């Protein structure tokens, strides 16, 4: 307590010195302004200049003084923000003690879990999150003098799991723990921290099949580490839609001779509002790159690749090697959750597609953030293909249709109707399939 009182007295003295110092600076500026004004008038008399010339000299000096005063004010504001930040850091140190002070120097991690109390961070996590100065000093291209390794804010809520994930031997094989990593991602710990260990590989890894054969052929079983999956072979994955009584997301996806073979080629129901060939013909060669959100095993990307269109497929490994399977088909997987911000720059993609994944299981506000993020990455004239979106009947008119309408997209297709599978009938769900085009938007008051 005595030490805290001493810190408080020291902080008060610092504020007093700060205020006195700024008052002196402002007084000096006022005195300097008056002296320069008198000096300019005396020069004009001594040199017998005209009143107009004297006024010009005086105006020039005043402009310079105004510029100096503005710079002083700007510096004062920056110092004020710095002072506020230092006060917040000081308050945090006072609350958490010396241990928290040490941890706050490590990327802002406090080493404390709200549910479980203090946690001693793994040394590798401290190494990863430490803020380090650039070896060559300030980077002239971005003005930064240090580098910060990013880590998701949600990691703070799961420090004990993160501690387990970062507990490994540097330079050796990583633990067989990708399931822990996925658990962290689903808890909002995204991006995950990097690790300095070697990823595990299957004990006898076959070379992948060549294009275009690999697009529609099942790969060899020895290309996968099956440790954390219920099925231990692709044959098991192909059969589970028929044999398993337990629900599996995308249960028939791995059967490339089943429904996947004709999906987006031949309409199967009235919610298949467009085929791949039709959507490409509509845009006449301007669909080149795109994204499939929650694309399972990548069959949409495979169909587009047959037309020289590159599609990135986002997927998780929910009781199946989805990402490995996409890659073995010669396609691009992106291992990320649906809640993660899309890692693309604004106005860059020609097409965004999503089937089943963007639906009412996502919290309403979260879904709205996702839709605006899709809008961000789509270029003007790009297409958003919402494929078999489903929700409760009452939600479509009251919530989701108005939410989509806010985007102001051009409707090329919009079909709704009852979802007639057992779950759909039980929960009174409906389907929505829509093909939407992003408009060109002009900011109000913008100038050419």
């Amino acid at each position: 307590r005595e030490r805290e009182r001493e810190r408080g007295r020291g902080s008060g003295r610092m504020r007093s010195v700060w205020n006195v110092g700024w008052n002196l600076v402002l007084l000096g500026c006022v005195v300097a302004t008056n002296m320069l004004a008198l000096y300019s008038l005396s020069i004009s008399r001594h040199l017998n200049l005209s009143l107009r010339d004297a006024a010009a000299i005086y105006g020039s000096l005043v402009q310079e003084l105004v510029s100096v005063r503005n710079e002083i004010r700007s510096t004062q504001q920056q110092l004020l923000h710095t002072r506020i930040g230092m006060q917040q850091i000081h308050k945090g140190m006072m609350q958490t003690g010396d241990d928290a002070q040490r941890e706050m120097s490590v990327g802002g991690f406090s080493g404390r879990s709200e549910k479980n109390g203090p946690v001693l961070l793994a040394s590798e996590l401290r190494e990863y999150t430490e803020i380090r100065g650039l070896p060559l000093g300030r980077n002239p291209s971005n003005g930064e003098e240090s580098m910060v390794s990013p880590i998701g804010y949600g990691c703070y809520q799961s420090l004990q799991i993160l501690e387990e994930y970062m507990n490994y031997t540097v330079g050796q094989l990583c633990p067989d723990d990708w399931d822990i990593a996925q658990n962290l991602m689903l808890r909002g710990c995204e991006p995950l921290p990097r690790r300095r260990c070697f990823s595990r590989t299957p004990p006898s890894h076959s070379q992948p099949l060549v294009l275009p054969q690999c697009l529609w052929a099942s790969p060899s079983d020895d290309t996968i580490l099956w440790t954390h999956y219920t099925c231990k072979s692709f044959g098991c994955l192909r059969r589970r839609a028929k044999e398993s009584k337990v629900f599996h997301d995308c249960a028939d996806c791995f059967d490339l001779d089943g429904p996947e073979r004709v999906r987006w080629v031949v309409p199967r129901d009235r919610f298949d509002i467009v085929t791949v060939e039709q959507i490409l013909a509509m845009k006449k060669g301007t669909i080149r790159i795109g994204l499939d959100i929650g694309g399972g095993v990548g069959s949409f990307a495979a169909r587009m690749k047959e037309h020289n269109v590159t599609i990135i497929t986002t997927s998780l490994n929910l009781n199946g090697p989805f990402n490995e399977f996409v890659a073995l088909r010669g396609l691009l997987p992106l291992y990320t959750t649906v809640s993660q911000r899309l890692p693309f720059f604004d106005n860059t993609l020609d097409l965004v597609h999503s089937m089943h994944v963007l639906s009412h299981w996502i919290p309403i506000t979260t879904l709205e953030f996702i839709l605006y993020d899709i809008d961000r990455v789509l270029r003007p004239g790009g297409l958003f293909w919402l494929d078999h979106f489903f929700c409760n009947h009452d939600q479509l008119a009251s919530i989701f249709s108005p939410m989509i309408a806010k985007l102001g997209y051009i409707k090329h297709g919009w079909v709704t109707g009852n979802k007639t599978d057992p779950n759909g009938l039980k929960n009174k769900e409906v389907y929505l399939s829509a093909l939407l085009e992003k408009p060109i938007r002009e900011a109000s008051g913008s100038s050419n």
Side-chain angles (χ1 to χ4, degrees):
R1 292 179 181 175
E2 183 63 29
R3 183 170 59 181
E4 292 177 0
R5 286 196 292 269
E6 181 61 30
R7 289 177 179 174
R9 288 194 293 270
S11 178
R13 288 194 295 269
M14 182 182 294
R15 286 193 294 269
S16 299
V17 172
W18 182 285
N19 294 331
V20 171
W22 275 113
N23 289 333
L24 290 174
V25 170
L26 293 175
L27 179 61
C29 289
V30 172
V31 172
T33 302
N34 292 330
M35 290 181 66
L36 287 172
L38 293 172
Y39 179 68
S40 64
L41 291 174
S42 66
I43 289 177
S44 64
R45 295 192 186 96
H46 181 72
L47 297 178
N48 198 24
L49 296 176
S50 66
L51 182 61
R52 180 180 298 176
D53 293 334
I57 295 173
Y58 180 78
S60 176
L61 289 171
V62 169
Q63 288 179 356
E64 292 182 9
L65 286 171
V66 169
S67 177
V68 171
R69 185 177 62 182
N70 290 337
E71 291 181 7
I72 291 174
R73 287 180 176 176
S74 176
T75 304
Q76 186 178 14
Q77 288 294 324
Q78 293 176 7
L79 289 172
L80 179 60
H81 290 312
T82 302
R83 177 185 172 187
I84 293 172
M86 292 298 295
Q87 287 176 342
Q88 291 174 347
I89 292 174
H90 178 72
K91 182 178 179 181
M93 288 180 178
M94 294 288 290
Q95 290 175 346
T96 58
D98 292 337
D99 289 339
Q101 182 178 356
R102 286 194 298 270
E103 295 297 342
M104 287 186 71
S105 66
V106 185
F109 258 76
S110 67
R112 181 177 295 272
S113 169
E114 291 182 355
K115 296 181 179 179
N116 302 308
V119 175
L120 179 62
L121 299 184
S123 60
E124 277 298 280
L125 182 57
R126 293 198 300 271
E127 283 291 322
Y128 176 77
T129 56
E130 183 175 349
I131 301 174
R132 293 182 171 87
L134 298 178
L136 301 182
R138 182 178 179 275
N139 187 329
S141 63
N142 58 27
E144 296 298 326
E145 298 180 350
S146 61
M147 182 174 289
V148 181
S149 298
I151 187 170
Y153 174 76
C155 299
Y156 174 79
Q157 305 296 334
S158 305
L159 278 179
Q160 288 187 327
I161 303 176
L162 185 63
E163 165 81 8
E164 181 181 358
Y165 176 69
M166 294 300 290
N167 187 15
Y168 60 89
T169 303
V170 176
Q172 301 297 317
L173 278 177
C174 296
D176 187 6
D177 61 355
W178 70 260
D179 56 326
I180 295 177
Q182 184 165 274
N183 186 15
L184 284 166
M185 292 166 61
L186 290 169
R187 290 167 174 258
C189 184
E190 196 174 22
L192 284 168
R194 288 181 170 132
R195 299 199 296 186
R196 296 186 291 182
C197 56
F198 297 108
S199 62
R200 291 177 176 265
T201 60
S204 56
H205 190 276
S206 299
Q207 292 300 307
L209 300 173
V210 298
L211 282 167
Q213 179 187 356
C214 62
L215 289 176
W216 298 102
S218 186
S220 173
D221 289 340
D222 65 3
T223 55
I224 303 295
L225 279 172
W226 297 96
T227 312
H228 298 289
Y229 302 119
T230 302
C231 279
K232 306 300 181 185
S233 68
F234 285 116
C236 173
L237 290 171
R238 289 191 295 270
R239 295 190 303 269
R240 73 179 180 182
K242 301 176 182 178
E243 298 178 355
S244 177
K245 296 181 181 180
V246 179
F247 171 77
H248 294 285
D249 188 34
C250 203
D252 59 357
C253 290
F254 291 93
D255 184 7
L256 298 183
D257 293 322
E260 291 290 294
R261 194 74 178 186
V262 296
R263 207 185 300 273
W264 305 292
V265 177
V266 178
R268 299 168 303 151
D269 57 39
R270 67 191 188 94
F271 303 109
D272 289 339
I273 58 176
V274 68
T275 65
V276 163
E277 289 189 353
Q278 288 171 339
I279 200 172
L280 294 176
M282 185 174 73
K283 283 298 183 177
K284 298 180 180 179
T286 59
I287 302 294
R288 307 150 301 152
I289 55 174
L291 175 69
D292 189 15
I293 298 175
V297 296
S299 293
F300 180 76
R303 283 299 175 203
M304 298 298 275
K305 190 175 183 68
E306 292 173 338
H307 297 274
N308 296 320
V309 177
T310 300
I311 299 292
I312 296 175
T313 302
T314 74
S315 188
L316 290 174
N317 284 10
L318 298 174
N319 202 20
F322 289 92
N323 280 269
E324 300 98 307
F325 195 81
V326 171
L328 288 167
R329 297 178 75 180
L331 306 168
L332 291 172
L334 182 62
Y335 186 49
T336 184
T337 67
V338 72
S339 55
Q340 170 78 329
R341 185 179 191 266
L342 297 175
F344 307 103
F345 195 69
D346 303 359
N347 304 306
T348 52
L349 300 184
D350 302 318
L351 172 68
V352 174
H353 171 265
S354 183
M355 181 175 182
H356 287 148
V357 173
L358 297 184
S359 294
H360 70 147
W361 69 271
I362 300 174
I364 293 172
T365 303
T366 302
L367 181 60
E368 188 171 25
F369 272 106
I370 294 171
L371 291 178
Y372 275 95
D373 201 30
I374 290 171
D375 173 79
R376 178 184 62 81
V377 300
L378 267 178
R379 65 167 174 81
L383 297 178
F384 176 32
W385 185 355
L386 189 59
D387 195 353
H388 287 75
F389 172 95
F390 63 92
C391 62
N392 297 120
H393 182 273
D394 296 338
Q395 290 179 314
L396 183 60
S398 62
I399 298 175
F400 297 114
S401 290
M403 183 186 296
I404 296 170
K406 287 181 182 178
L407 300 175
Y409 279 25
I410 302 166
K411 291 183 179 180
H412 292 290
W414 184 279
V415 176
T416 64
N418 291 331
K419 189 171 179 279
T420 57
D421 62 274
N423 283 330
L425 294 173
K426 177 182 176 182
N427 300 319
K428 297 181 180 180
E429 293 173 332
V430 293
Y431 270 136
L432 163 65
S433 285
L435 183 62
L436 310 169
E437 180 176 335
K438 179 177 176 177
I440 298 174
R441 303 189 186 102
E442 286 190 26
S444 58
S446 62
S447 58
N448 294 328

